[in-house]
Structure formats: structure tokens, C-alpha cells
Amino acid sequence: MTQTPSPLVLDGASLDALSLMQAARPGGRVAIAPAGLENMAASRDVILQAVAKRIAIYGVTTGLGSRATEALSEAELSTFSLHTLRGRAHASGPPLPVEIVRAAMIVRLNSLLTGAAGASPDIAHGLAAAVNAGVTPVVGEIGSVGASDLLLGATMGLALCGEGLMMDAAGNVAPAACCLAQAKLSPLKLGPRDGLALCSHDAFSAALAAFGLVGARRALGSVEMSTALSFEAFRANVSPFRQDVLALR
């Protein structure tokens, strides 16, 4: 009988490349360490207090870019996060592999657990639920130059809000809202700064780097093993590799 793999526990600090790659595979699961949620709750309180007091914070109580000096109205505060994603969800080109998108979701979830982004704990729960249900946003591989993974992150985040396209665990692509509903998941409901936290990061670059690192380590191990076997098979002279000989060179 095939055993279900244990979930990867994310705490915002101990994630490594190999564990990420294993959890990103189909059927991989994640769990959230309570300390990570505590970090998020504490920083979230800071954000909510700033909103209540109308303290000027970029992308929270003010606009973005050229609107950084403009205070958001009460009406804008409730919808600004979603508009932030909609205005940047323009990743294009062939879709990234599912494992890369899943890895990016896990990386972003893990980094949110530090509390540094000020995002709502509900965003962490939503990311974890999507990973565990096997539903994956369809994200094009082409984003922008010089703006981290902004467009890719926004495309991913918007799909989790029920807009755009998603792929279910069986590999079928459908509108995100339908895919979430079939998995019995609710679209994310965003509060202040949640939209910016979902799009402004480099989780896709980190995911690609992690897969590259694991692959490179495996390739190096294979090269070393094949070299050792070749030396053994041909009874090669290994004296050129002695430390004192190498030191003379």
C-alpha cells in the first residue's frame, strides 16, 4: 500500500531546496507551524492599526507608483488589494510547469510566515489549502524585467482569488472560480496589503533556482560516481590526484 507522504511543515525559516522540490510534486502537502501564524498575526495588527489611524504606508493606505503620495479613500481601501493584482496579472507565454508554480506557492507561503509582509493569516491558509488540494494557477513564464516576479506573482494571486485559469489535480484547465469550487475551496478574500504581498516577491525565481540546485547536485553526484566506476574498471592510476602532487601543480 502506498503511504501518503507527511506534509512539509513550514515555519518561515527552515525550508530547503530538496524539501521544496519534494513537496511541489503532485500529491505533496504542506502544513503551517503555529509560530508562523503568530508572526503573521502580530504584523497584521500593525497594518490594521495603521489603516485605522490613516498612517501613510506605501501600498496600504496610499496608492502605488505615481500615486504613492495619494491617500486611499475608505471605498478604495476595501478593493485596492484586488485591483493591485488585476493591474499586474499579465504573465504571458507558455505556462510554467505545475511543479514550478506549486513550488512558488510554497516559497511565498513560507516567506509570509516570517510576518515581514504584513499579510493576513487567511492568505497563508488559502495558499496551503490550494497546494494540498492540488489546484494550481496557470502562470505564463514571461513576466517583466527589473520588477522581481511581479507579473507572475500577480497572476498566481489573482487565480487564488477566483479570476484567471487554474489546473486541477487531474491536469484539467478551467476558470479559476470553477476549479476552486470543485476542490471545495473558497476564493481568497483580500484585505489591506494582501494584494501587494501576493504579487511583490521573487518566489518564482527562488523556485526555479531550487530546482536547478537540486538538479545540479544530482548531476555532480552522477558524474563523480561514473568517474569512480571508470577508474575502477580500467584500474586507473590515481596518484595524480594525491594532495602532495596537486600541491606541486
Side-chain angles (χ1 to χ4, degrees), residues 137-150:
V138 175
V139 181
E141 66 179 12
I142 301 173
S144 57
V145 177
S148 73
D149 298 331
L150 189 66

Side-chain angles (χ1 to χ4, degrees), residues 176-210:
C178 297
C179 198
L180 290 170
Q182 289 175 355
K184 298 181 179 179
L185 299 178
S186 299
L188 293 181
K189 293 183 179 179
L190 308 181
R193 206 185 188 285
D194 288 338
L196 195 58
L198 281 169
C199 68
S200 184
H201 53 78
D202 58 2
F204 284 88
S205 295
L208 288 163

Side-chain angles (χ1 to χ4, degrees), residues 125-136:
H125 287 302
L127 280 164
V131 169
N132 293 340
V135 292
T136 310

Side-chain angles (χ1 to χ4, degrees), residues 29-233:
R29 295 157 54 233
V30 297
I32 300 174
L37 292 175
E38 292 173 4
N39 292 336
M40 292 189 72
S43 63
R44 189 61 177 175
D45 285 342
V46 175
I47 293 295
L48 295 179
Q49 289 177 25
V51 171
K53 296 177 182 178
R54 302 310 300 269
I55 298 172
I57 298 179
Y58 182 76
V60 179
T61 56
T62 75
L64 296 168
S66 61
R67 294 191 62 197
T69 58
E70 298 180 24
L72 298 176
S73 67
E74 291 289 342
E76 288 176 314
L77 281 172
S78 62
T79 59
F80 187 68
S81 278
L82 185 58
H83 291 322
T84 298
L85 293 179
R86 285 173 176 167
R88 292 155 182 81
H90 303 299
S92 59
L96 285 165
V98 169
E99 290 185 359
I100 296 298
V101 180
R102 283 175 55 83
M105 294 166 68
I106 295 170
V107 169
R108 190 51 182 151
L109 167 56
N110 186 65
S111 59
L112 288 177
L113 295 176
T114 65
S120 166
D122 290 341
I123 302 302
H125 287 302
L127 280 164
V131 169
N132 293 340
V135 292
T136 310
V138 175
V139 181
E141 66 179 12
I142 301 173
S144 57
V145 177
S148 73
D149 298 331
L150 189 66
L151 275 63
L152 280 66
T155 302
M156 177 185 76
L158 192 61
L160 294 169
C161 294
E163 299 183 22
L165 297 175
M166 297 190 86
M167 181 181 291
D168 64 20
N172 302 308
V173 175
C178 297
C179 198
L180 290 170
Q182 289 175 355
K184 298 181 179 179
L185 299 178
S186 299
L188 293 181
K189 293 183 179 179
L190 308 181
R193 206 185 188 285
D194 288 338
L196 195 58
L198 281 169
C199 68
S200 184
H201 53 78
D202 58 2
F204 284 88
S205 295
L208 288 163
F211 272 69
L213 176 61
V214 172
R217 284 174 174 168
R218 289 178 176 174
L220 178 60
S222 298
V223 169
E224 291 176 336
M225 184 179 296
S226 62
T227 301
L229 289 172
S230 297
F231 269 64
E232 183 69 20

